[in-house]
Amino acid sequence: MDKFRIKGGKILKGQVAISGAKNSALPIMAASLLTAEPLHVHNIPKVRDLVTMSKLLTFMHVHVSVKEFPSSDYTLQATRLNDEVAPYELVKTMRASTLVLGPLVARCGRARVSLPGGCAIGQRPIDLHIKGLELLGAKITQEHGYVEATADRLRGAEIVFDRITVTGTEDLLMAATLAEGETILQNAAREPEVADLAALLNKMGAKIQGAGTPTIKIKGVTKLKGARHRIIPDRIEAGTFLIAGALTGGDLNIAACDPAHLDAILIKLKESGVKTKSTADSVRVMGDNPFTASDLNTEEYPGFPTDMQAQFMALATQAEGTSIITENIFENRFMHAQELVRMGANIKIEGHRAVVRGKTQLSAAAVLASDLRASASLVLAALVADGETIIDRVYHIDRGYEKIEEKLKAVGAQIRRIGNMLP
Ligand code: EPZ
């Protein structure tokens, strides 16, 4: 398994270009199931999860064509679909595979998708996806680890989410585009990735209003057409590099990002004493100030993203004072804390709160990545640790960061991948 070897203490300087958003590209690729016409999608990040999604769609007889592999430009065409199944072998490697459920039952009247099973960061059930499809008139059965949804044609309905769910909103948004009549999604997720998906669907001929707000209205149509779309930048990748620049006391320009999607992150960085300067499509971070401790609560967008919690914890270990980090979205998202403690951090976990006392000098160690964002947090800590850190199981980071070691190396980090398993 690949590992990273990182020598700490290098100041990062220069420019990093941000890739397209993984969490936008995934539902947008699944949307190709809604039409027999081609979708041309650009700025797709070259990360493992998108390779998995294209494997899943190919398994479902979607014609996936790319110039080179992995690619940032895909053409996807689901000319003919027949009794498609999302198999356990693929779904178990990436729970976002469940995003094919809504589009399949909407287009074909039948979908059979493996239930995703447990995840390192929490139970993560899909009960709200299923409940929503039932409200749209689908008949749902669950057996042998699979959920099966059937419907002659879905019917518009009002769906009030018990709690905000990102892929739940996206799954039902896609299903409702081909339903008969109007659907209203209440308490919907407002993430920029949801709005990006809706922008694509409207280009395909859907009638969606209110994406990006808690209330989304969808007037169903009988058929959708092909379209061309460019994926928005990855705000979590941008946030990760902002913290890399700050932590190393560097001067980094984070380019090709959308600062408007980074508000909560930039506010928290400012509170922690980090200087940033934004333009329309970039943010410059200058980390020459000492950091001050700052409490954090993870929330749904536009609140502080849970996908940045681990990275922020690495910063909090280098801040003067005590930071209380409260994780409100997932019940088990502090796996990185124990590894940071192995590097010399002072962190106590109390239920879904982490108490981080800083500033402590981090020392290099052999550490283990447990999930995508936890591994990013360990990379950040290793950049300021004394000595050479070895991070094992970096396949987690390859799921959501495009060539992170090359981007870091290009701005002065001393990082090397050991092994040969690139996406
Ligand atoms: C999306 O996951 C992202 N993944 C996650 O990013 C992100 O952490 C999460 O949203 C929250 O922002 C993708 O977009 C592919 P949720 P999702 O449904 O949609 C509970 C990363 O690092 N829930 O919004 O699966 C759930 O257990 C990944 O890139 C139910 O109870 O998250 C959680 O506690 C990790 N029933 C909460 O809601 C449901 O049917 C929010 O989950 C659905 C969700």
Side-chain angles (χ1 to χ4, degrees):
M1 267 190 233
D2 282 23
K3 300 177 197 302
F4 279 158
R5 187 190 289 272
I6 303 175
K7 187 159 181 4
K10 303 293 173 203
I11 297 174
L12 303 189
K13 289 208 158 109
Q15 173 152 307
V16 176
I18 295 303
S19 304
K22 165 183 82 76
N23 291 346
S24 180
L26 289 167
I28 281 179
M29 283 179 77
S32 65
L33 295 162
L34 290 166
T35 176
E37 295 181 25
L39 275 195
H40 304 282
V41 187
H42 305 287
N43 199 30
I44 289 196
K46 298 176 182 172
V47 298
R48 189 178 297 282
D49 274 8
L50 272 305
V51 174
T52 306
M53 182 55 92
S54 51
K55 275 190 195 146
L56 176 62
L57 293 172
T58 306
F59 182 85
M60 296 176 155
H61 308 103
V62 176
H63 183 60
V64 179
S65 53
V66 291
K67 290 203 191 69
E68 84 279 345
F69 204 75
S71 170
S72 352
D73 302 317
Y74 283 65
T75 297
L76 306 129
Q77 184 156 16
T79 317
R80 248 178 308 289
L81 298 174
N82 186 9
D83 271 357
E84 301 309 339
V85 176
Y88 177 62
E89 285 66 36
L90 286 170
V91 175
K92 75 177 179 195
T93 63
M94 181 186 70
R95 46 180 327 100
S97 310
T98 51
L99 281 163
V100 302
L101 187 58
L104 272 179
V105 67
R107 165 105 183 272
C108 313
R110 183 169 181 274
R112 194 159 177 273
V113 174
S114 166
L115 286 163
C119 167
I121 64 177
Q123 278 183 350
R124 304 184 72 182
I126 59 165
D127 58 315
L128 301 175
H129 300 229
I130 292 169
K131 193 172 161 201
L133 283 175
E134 281 174 331
L135 285 168
L136 292 176
K139 186 169 159 304
I140 305 273
T141 53
Q142 292 187 36
E143 57 184 1
H144 309 305
Y146 279 73
V147 55
E148 185 158 327
T150 54
D152 296 339
R153 183 173 180 201
L154 296 176
R155 279 187 321 277
E158 176 155 9
I159 299 171
V160 184
F161 287 105
D162 300 336
R163 68 172 299 175
I164 295 175
T165 160
V166 177
T167 52
T169 300
E170 293 164 345
D171 203 5
L172 297 169
L173 179 63
M174 290 190 275
T177 56
L178 291 174
E180 194 171 351
E182 182 174 67
T183 296
I184 303 178
L185 302 179
Q186 300 278 19
N187 197 27
R190 292 188 268 165
E191 272 65 5
E193 294 77 26
V194 173
D196 199 28
L197 171 65
L200 164 82
L201 293 169
N202 278 339
K203 283 182 194 167
M204 294 168 70
K207 295 192 167 54
I208 301 167
Q209 289 175 325
T213 78
T215 304
I216 306 178
K217 292 191 175 155
I218 309 110
K219 282 205 178 64
V221 297
T222 51
K223 201 166 170 290
L224 291 170
K225 60 184 181 195
R228 185 174 293 280
H229 189 75
R230 183 178 174 79
I231 303 280
I232 58 173
D234 196 311
R235 61 196 168 96
I236 307 300
E237 185 194 16
T240 304
F241 278 103
L242 281 170
I243 292 189
L247 261 178
T248 60
D251 185 340
L252 272 189
N253 192 41
I254 314 299
C257 69
D258 186 343
H261 297 161
L262 300 171
D263 279 355
I265 299 169
L266 294 174
I267 291 165
K268 196 47 70 179
L269 286 176
K270 190 159 182 234
E271 246 176 59
S272 312
V274 177
K275 279 193 297 188
T276 63
K277 204 157 168 289
S278 299
T279 69
D281 62 357
S282 73
V283 182
R284 183 173 166 204
V285 56
M286 296 143 277
D288 45 13
N289 287 3
F291 310 125
T292 39
S294 166
D295 295 346
L296 174 80
N297 278 286
T298 64
E299 292 167 319
E300 296 87 356
Y301 192 87
F304 190 93
T306 170
D307 294 348
M308 279 297 300
Q309 176 257 98
Q311 298 92 315
F312 186 81
M313 189 183 282
L315 182 74
T317 66
Q318 300 307 297
E320 296 298 342
T322 302
S323 308
I324 297 181
I325 296 177
T326 307
E327 174 54 55
N328 297 307
I329 307 295
F330 292 108
E331 60 274 23
N332 183 36
R333 203 168 201 180
F334 285 142
M335 303 283 276
H336 42 282
Q338 262 347 84
E339 297 301 304
L340 292 173
V341 167
R342 294 191 65 256
M343 297 176 76
N346 179 342
I347 306 170
K348 297 256 175 324
I349 304 297
E350 301 162 356
H352 66 157
R353 283 174 10 133
V355 181
V356 185
R357 290 191 175 77
K359 162 180 184 158
T360 56
Q361 170 57 53
L362 297 181
S363 59
V367 290
L368 198 59
S370 54
D371 61 80
L372 169 58
R373 307 304 172 183
S375 41
S377 158
L378 300 179
V379 167
L380 294 172
L383 291 173
V384 289
D386 176 21
E388 194 166 72
T389 296
I390 307 285
I391 304 177
D392 199 350
R393 298 190 183 168
V394 292
Y395 62 81
H396 285 293
I397 212 166
D398 291 334
R399 292 190 57 176
Y401 290 89
E402 181 174 328
K403 297 199 176 85
I404 190 167
E405 77 274 23
E406 289 178 19
K407 290 189 180 184
L408 283 169
K409 219 184 281 174
V411 290
Q414 211 170 327
I415 176 170
R416 212 155 51 81
R417 178 185 289 263
I418 315 167
N420 52 17
M421 195 171 65
L422 283 180

mmCIF file of all heavy atoms in Angstrom, residues 21-22 25 46 64 68 90 92 99 108 150 157 210 217 232 248 251 258 262 270 278 286-287 310 312 319 344 347 389:
data_model
loop_
_atom_site.group_PDB
_atom_site.id
_atom_site.type_symbol
_atom_site.label_atom_id
_atom_site.label_comp_id
_atom_site.label_asym_id
_atom_site.label_seq_id
_atom_site.Cartn_x
_atom_site.Cartn_y
_atom_site.Cartn_z
ATOM 1 N N ALA A 21 -14.571 19.895 -8.167
ATOM 2 C CA ALA A 21 -15.102 19.376 -6.901
ATOM 3 C C ALA A 21 -15.548 17.925 -7.026
ATOM 4 O O ALA A 21 -16.473 17.620 -7.794
ATOM 5 C CB ALA A 21 -16.260 20.241 -6.428
ATOM 6 N N LYS A 22 -14.902 17.050 -6.230
ATOM 7 C CA LYS A 22 -15.292 15.633 -6.215
ATOM 8 C C LYS A 22 -16.780 15.480 -5.917
ATOM 9 O O LYS A 22 -17.505 14.737 -6.590
ATOM 10 C CB LYS A 22 -14.482 14.860 -5.167
ATOM 11 C CG LYS A 22 -15.052 13.487 -4.823
ATOM 12 C CD LYS A 22 -14.265 12.797 -3.755
ATOM 13 C CE LYS A 22 -14.577 13.193 -2.362
ATOM 14 N NZ LYS A 22 -15.816 12.648 -1.796
ATOM 15 N N ALA A 25 -18.822 16.432 -8.970
ATOM 16 C CA ALA A 25 -18.626 15.553 -10.137
ATOM 17 C C ALA A 25 -19.367 14.227 -9.964
ATOM 18 O O ALA A 25 -19.913 13.687 -10.930
ATOM 19 C CB ALA A 25 -17.137 15.309 -10.342
ATOM 20 N N LYS A 46 -9.087 14.273 -11.118
ATOM 21 C CA LYS A 46 -8.521 12.934 -11.395
ATOM 22 C C LYS A 46 -8.274 12.240 -10.066
ATOM 23 O O LYS A 46 -7.131 12.180 -9.592
ATOM 24 C CB LYS A 46 -7.221 13.080 -12.197
ATOM 25 C CG LYS A 46 -7.418 13.735 -13.550
ATOM 26 C CD LYS A 46 -6.100 13.937 -14.273
ATOM 27 C CE LYS A 46 -6.301 14.641 -15.602
ATOM 28 N NZ LYS A 46 -5.005 15.006 -16.229
ATOM 29 N N VAL A 64 -18.848 5.583 -21.489
ATOM 30 C CA VAL A 64 -18.000 6.606 -20.860
ATOM 31 C C VAL A 64 -16.771 6.801 -21.748
ATOM 32 O O VAL A 64 -15.991 5.867 -21.918
ATOM 33 C CB VAL A 64 -17.556 6.161 -19.449
ATOM 34 C CG1 VAL A 64 -16.655 7.212 -18.816
ATOM 35 C CG2 VAL A 64 -18.771 5.891 -18.560
ATOM 36 N N GLU A 68 -7.828 10.729 -22.303
ATOM 37 C CA GLU A 68 -6.805 9.903 -21.640
ATOM 38 C C GLU A 68 -7.406 9.492 -20.301
ATOM 39 O O GLU A 68 -8.426 10.021 -19.900
ATOM 40 C CB GLU A 68 -5.492 10.681 -21.485
ATOM 41 C CG GLU A 68 -5.405 11.599 -20.259
ATOM 42 C CD GLU A 68 -6.105 12.967 -20.459
ATOM 43 O OE1 GLU A 68 -6.387 13.299 -21.618
ATOM 44 O OE2 GLU A 68 -6.399 13.635 -19.467
ATOM 45 N N LEU A 90 -18.819 -2.634 -6.059
ATOM 46 C CA LEU A 90 -18.478 -1.235 -6.344
ATOM 47 C C LEU A 90 -19.013 -0.310 -5.251
ATOM 48 O O LEU A 90 -18.310 0.595 -4.781
ATOM 49 C CB LEU A 90 -19.016 -0.832 -7.714
ATOM 50 C CG LEU A 90 -18.245 -1.416 -8.904
ATOM 51 C CD1 LEU A 90 -18.973 -1.164 -10.216
ATOM 52 C CD2 LEU A 90 -16.841 -0.806 -8.981
ATOM 53 N N LYS A 92 -19.514 -0.883 -2.152
ATOM 54 C CA LYS A 92 -18.792 -0.964 -0.871
ATOM 55 C C LYS A 92 -17.543 -0.099 -0.889
ATOM 56 O O LYS A 92 -17.077 0.367 0.154
ATOM 57 C CB LYS A 92 -18.453 -2.418 -0.518
ATOM 58 C CG LYS A 92 -17.315 -3.015 -1.304
ATOM 59 C CD LYS A 92 -16.973 -4.433 -0.876
ATOM 60 C CE LYS A 92 -15.833 -4.944 -1.746
ATOM 61 N NZ LYS A 92 -15.665 -6.403 -1.649
ATOM 62 N N LEU A 99 -26.014 7.328 -5.417
ATOM 63 C CA LEU A 99 -26.564 8.443 -6.203
ATOM 64 C C LEU A 99 -27.175 7.975 -7.518
ATOM 65 O O LEU A 99 -27.830 8.747 -8.215
ATOM 66 C CB LEU A 99 -25.462 9.470 -6.501
ATOM 67 C CG LEU A 99 -25.122 10.424 -5.367
ATOM 68 C CD1 LEU A 99 -23.779 11.097 -5.607
ATOM 69 C CD2 LEU A 99 -26.214 11.479 -5.206
ATOM 70 N N CYS A 108 -35.844 4.492 -15.758
ATOM 71 C CA CYS A 108 -36.148 3.117 -16.192
ATOM 72 C C CYS A 108 -37.317 2.482 -15.434
ATOM 73 O O CYS A 108 -37.735 1.375 -15.756
ATOM 74 C CB CYS A 108 -34.938 2.206 -15.977
ATOM 75 S SG CYS A 108 -33.419 2.915 -16.563
ATOM 76 N N THR A 150 -39.136 0.368 -7.602
ATOM 77 C CA THR A 150 -39.850 0.266 -8.881
ATOM 78 C C THR A 150 -40.978 1.294 -8.914
ATOM 79 O O THR A 150 -41.531 1.662 -7.873
ATOM 80 C CB THR A 150 -40.470 -1.141 -9.069
ATOM 81 O OG1 THR A 150 -41.279 -1.400 -7.907
ATOM 82 C CG2 THR A 150 -39.408 -2.218 -9.205
ATOM 83 N N ALA A 157 -44.203 15.238 -5.354
ATOM 84 C CA ALA A 157 -44.714 15.248 -3.977
ATOM 85 C C ALA A 157 -43.959 16.294 -3.172
ATOM 86 O O ALA A 157 -42.943 16.814 -3.639
ATOM 87 C CB ALA A 157 -44.499 13.872 -3.336
ATOM 88 N N GLY A 210 -34.719 27.327 -6.951
ATOM 89 C CA GLY A 210 -34.418 27.380 -5.523
ATOM 90 C C GLY A 210 -33.246 26.544 -5.056
ATOM 91 O O GLY A 210 -32.986 26.477 -3.861
ATOM 92 N N LYS A 217 -37.941 23.691 -5.776
ATOM 93 C CA LYS A 217 -39.147 23.279 -6.501
ATOM 94 C C LYS A 217 -38.738 22.688 -7.849
ATOM 95 O O LYS A 217 -37.895 23.279 -8.546
ATOM 96 C CB LYS A 217 -40.076 24.478 -6.710
ATOM 97 C CG LYS A 217 -40.675 24.983 -5.398
ATOM 98 C CD LYS A 217 -41.783 25.982 -5.609
ATOM 99 C CE LYS A 217 -42.388 26.331 -4.247
ATOM 100 N NZ LYS A 217 -43.019 27.661 -4.249
ATOM 101 N N ILE A 232 -17.693 22.928 -10.691
ATOM 102 C CA ILE A 232 -17.165 24.004 -9.838
ATOM 103 C C ILE A 232 -15.872 23.541 -9.152
ATOM 104 O O ILE A 232 -15.617 22.343 -9.038
ATOM 105 C CB ILE A 232 -18.190 24.418 -8.751
ATOM 106 C CG1 ILE A 232 -18.593 23.224 -7.873
ATOM 107 C CG2 ILE A 232 -19.409 25.105 -9.363
ATOM 108 C CD1 ILE A 232 -19.456 23.556 -6.682
ATOM 109 N N THR A 248 2.520 26.317 7.702
ATOM 110 C CA THR A 248 3.966 26.321 7.446
ATOM 111 C C THR A 248 4.536 27.737 7.471
ATOM 112 O O THR A 248 5.692 27.963 7.117
ATOM 113 C CB THR A 248 4.264 25.688 6.068
ATOM 114 O OG1 THR A 248 3.583 26.470 5.065
ATOM 115 C CG2 THR A 248 3.809 24.245 6.008
ATOM 116 N N ASP A 251 3.518 31.518 2.151
ATOM 117 C CA ASP A 251 2.787 32.518 1.369
ATOM 118 C C ASP A 251 2.303 31.799 0.116
ATOM 119 O O ASP A 251 3.069 31.592 -0.832
ATOM 120 C CB ASP A 251 3.725 33.683 1.007
ATOM 121 C CG ASP A 251 2.964 34.802 0.310
ATOM 122 O OD1 ASP A 251 1.866 34.513 -0.219
ATOM 123 O OD2 ASP A 251 3.457 35.939 0.291
ATOM 124 N N ASP A 258 -13.218 29.146 -5.800
ATOM 125 C CA ASP A 258 -14.320 30.117 -5.726
ATOM 126 C C ASP A 258 -14.437 30.604 -4.286
ATOM 127 O O ASP A 258 -15.073 29.939 -3.450
ATOM 128 C CB ASP A 258 -15.642 29.489 -6.197
ATOM 129 C CG ASP A 258 -16.754 30.546 -6.267
ATOM 130 O OD1 ASP A 258 -16.576 31.629 -5.647
ATOM 131 O OD2 ASP A 258 -17.785 30.284 -6.911
ATOM 132 N N LEU A 262 -16.125 29.683 0.271
ATOM 133 C CA LEU A 262 -15.184 29.432 1.378
ATOM 134 C C LEU A 262 -15.441 30.322 2.590
ATOM 135 O O LEU A 262 -14.631 30.366 3.520
ATOM 136 C CB LEU A 262 -13.751 29.667 0.876
ATOM 137 C CG LEU A 262 -13.270 28.792 -0.281
ATOM 138 C CD1 LEU A 262 -11.930 29.296 -0.804
ATOM 139 C CD2 LEU A 262 -13.140 27.338 0.167
ATOM 140 N N LYS A 270 -9.522 33.637 9.909
ATOM 141 C CA LYS A 270 -9.291 35.012 10.400
ATOM 142 C C LYS A 270 -9.347 35.013 11.934
ATOM 143 O O LYS A 270 -8.464 35.559 12.594
ATOM 144 C CB LYS A 270 -10.363 35.933 9.817
ATOM 145 C CG LYS A 270 -10.108 37.409 10.039
ATOM 146 C CD LYS A 270 -10.868 38.268 9.036
ATOM 147 C CE LYS A 270 -10.533 39.728 9.265
ATOM 148 N NZ LYS A 270 -11.732 40.535 9.452
ATOM 149 N N SER A 278 -8.543 37.723 -0.778
ATOM 150 C CA SER A 278 -9.260 37.041 -1.871
ATOM 151 C C SER A 278 -9.401 37.919 -3.096
ATOM 152 O O SER A 278 -9.479 39.134 -2.997
ATOM 153 C CB SER A 278 -10.666 36.643 -1.393
ATOM 154 O OG SER A 278 -10.578 35.765 -0.298
ATOM 155 N N MET A 286 -1.231 34.090 4.007
ATOM 156 C CA MET A 286 0.093 34.467 4.528
ATOM 157 C C MET A 286 0.137 34.057 5.990
ATOM 158 O O MET A 286 -0.536 34.655 6.808
ATOM 159 C CB MET A 286 0.278 35.979 4.357
ATOM 160 C CG MET A 286 0.301 36.405 2.890
ATOM 161 S SD MET A 286 -0.521 37.980 2.629
ATOM 162 C CE MET A 286 -2.238 37.515 2.508
ATOM 163 N N GLY A 287 0.905 33.047 6.292
ATOM 164 C CA GLY A 287 0.852 32.459 7.640
ATOM 165 C C GLY A 287 1.933 32.953 8.575
ATOM 166 O O GLY A 287 2.495 32.161 9.319
ATOM 167 N N ALA A 310 -11.083 17.956 10.354
ATOM 168 C CA ALA A 310 -9.791 17.305 10.659
ATOM 169 C C ALA A 310 -8.620 18.227 10.333
ATOM 170 O O ALA A 310 -7.669 18.356 11.103
ATOM 171 C CB ALA A 310 -9.677 16.008 9.858
ATOM 172 N N PHE A 312 -8.686 21.464 10.235
ATOM 173 C CA PHE A 312 -8.659 22.573 11.190
ATOM 174 C C PHE A 312 -8.059 22.114 12.518
ATOM 175 O O PHE A 312 -7.378 22.879 13.209
ATOM 176 C CB PHE A 312 -10.067 23.147 11.403
ATOM 177 C CG PHE A 312 -10.085 24.377 12.247
ATOM 178 C CD1 PHE A 312 -9.788 25.621 11.703
ATOM 179 C CD2 PHE A 312 -10.328 24.297 13.616
ATOM 180 C CE1 PHE A 312 -9.753 26.756 12.493
ATOM 181 C CE2 PHE A 312 -10.299 25.427 14.414
ATOM 182 C CZ PHE A 312 -10.015 26.654 13.862
ATOM 183 N N ALA A 319 -2.013 26.382 17.707
ATOM 184 C CA ALA A 319 -2.558 27.678 18.163
ATOM 185 C C ALA A 319 -2.355 27.833 19.670
ATOM 186 O O ALA A 319 -2.425 26.844 20.412
ATOM 187 C CB ALA A 319 -4.045 27.752 17.827
ATOM 188 N N GLY A 344 2.416 14.065 19.117
ATOM 189 C CA GLY A 344 2.741 15.016 20.188
ATOM 190 C C GLY A 344 1.671 16.063 20.466
ATOM 191 O O GLY A 344 1.868 16.966 21.283
ATOM 192 N N ILE A 347 -4.743 16.476 22.683
ATOM 193 C CA ILE A 347 -6.156 16.445 22.293
ATOM 194 C C ILE A 347 -6.910 15.451 23.179
ATOM 195 O O ILE A 347 -6.459 14.310 23.361
ATOM 196 C CB ILE A 347 -6.321 16.014 20.818
ATOM 197 C CG1 ILE A 347 -5.485 16.901 19.897
ATOM 198 C CG2 ILE A 347 -7.797 16.044 20.397
ATOM 199 C CD1 ILE A 347 -5.401 16.411 18.454
ATOM 200 N N THR A 389 7.887 12.087 8.797
ATOM 201 C CA THR A 389 6.679 11.320 9.120
ATOM 202 C C THR A 389 6.370 10.339 7.990
ATOM 203 O O THR A 389 6.552 10.667 6.815
ATOM 204 C CB THR A 389 5.488 12.290 9.289
ATOM 205 O OG1 THR A 389 5.744 13.138 10.404
ATOM 206 C CG2 THR A 389 4.188 11.542 9.514
#
